[in-house]
Amino acid sequence: MSGLIGKKIGMTSIFDENGKNIPCTVIEAGPCIVTQVRTEEVDGYNALQLGFDDATEKNATKAALGHAKKAGTSVKRKVVEFKGFDKEYKLGDAITVEQFIEGEFVDISGVSKGKGFQGVVKRHGFGGVGQATHGQHNRLRAPGSIGAASYPARVFKGMRMAGRMGGETVKVENLRVYKVVPEKNLLVVKGCVPGHKNSYVIIEK
């Protein structure tokens, strides 16, 4: 699937032709530079490696500097491979947001907001134990029983318990492209996208 690397700017809302208020996410999509071309003969598959967002050369490794120099570009913060481009590109070519068309649907993946160590009510949607029954008075948000008795004498794998929440790769599919603003490299899609503001997202057609 062809695509682009972007950065989540934030959320807004726009009115459609029927006057309905639509929540949307604004993404700075590209321009992405082709930093490597994968071919069937050399690598065993066809793909393009794209780089996005300039990094400072002072903090870059020599390997990254050499890789960028070969493509004739600066060192990039985010590098991702994509397959399925219709056109042929060569090293150093720029791919912009203009490859997207208003009205089409895209899949967007990113790293969800980290929420730290959370209990079962927030993490799994438990209702809590108390609920004014069984004489409970101080354990409304407790997980309750996590197993049986001397058999099986263990906690089964996958038991929903408290733990670290968020910070996982999440993909949201079939988001409609509402606006494409080529002069500012902006993409406006319907709905929400995983991640905090200024986090990197991967947009796939």
Side-chain angles (χ1 to χ4, degrees), residues 34 37 39 46 48 84-91 93-95:
V34 178
V37 179
T39 59
N46 294 311
L48 289 181
F85 279 94
D86 297 331
K87 291 172 61 179
E88 283 194 13
Y89 293 94
K90 57 183 184 295
L91 276 177
D93 285 353
I95 303 177

Side-chain angles (χ1 to χ4, degrees), residues 156-174:
F156 287 115
K157 282 186 178 180
M159 179 65 63
R160 294 181 298 169
M161 299 174 75
R164 189 173 293 182
M165 181 181 175
E168 298 174 338
T169 302
V170 179
K171 177 182 275 191
V172 181
E173 298 181 333
N174 297 324

Side-chain angles (χ1 to χ4, degrees), residues 13-22 178:
S13 61
I14 58 176
F15 291 94
D16 65 4
E17 58 276 5
N18 300 318
K20 189 177 180 182
N21 194 5
I22 307 294
Y178 258 92

Side-chain angles (χ1 to χ4, degrees), residues 83-151:
K83 295 181 180 180
F85 279 94
D86 297 331
K87 291 172 61 179
E88 283 194 13
Y89 293 94
K90 57 183 184 295
L91 276 177
D93 285 353
I95 303 177
T96 65
V97 73
E98 292 179 18
Q99 68 163 315
F100 296 105
I101 306 165
E102 291 182 7
E104 72 175 345
F105 293 87
V106 295
D107 299 341
I108 300 180
S109 56
V111 179
S112 62
K113 289 182 180 179
K115 299 183 185 299
F117 193 98
Q118 298 297 332
V120 291
V121 173
K122 187 180 180 83
R123 194 181 188 206
H124 299 295
F126 281 22
V129 175
Q131 310 286 316
T133 59
H134 301 294
Q136 305 290 340
H137 66 96
N138 65 348
R139 48 185 64 210
L140 178 67
R141 300 173 72 87
S145 172
I146 61 167
S150 56
Y151 179 82

Side-chain angles (χ1 to χ4, degrees), residues 25-42:
T25 304
V26 182
I27 300 169
E28 181 190 344
C32 293
I33 307 299
V34 178
T35 53
Q36 191 169 0
V37 179
R38 302 283 194 183
T39 59
E40 190 80 43
E41 298 76 37
V42 178

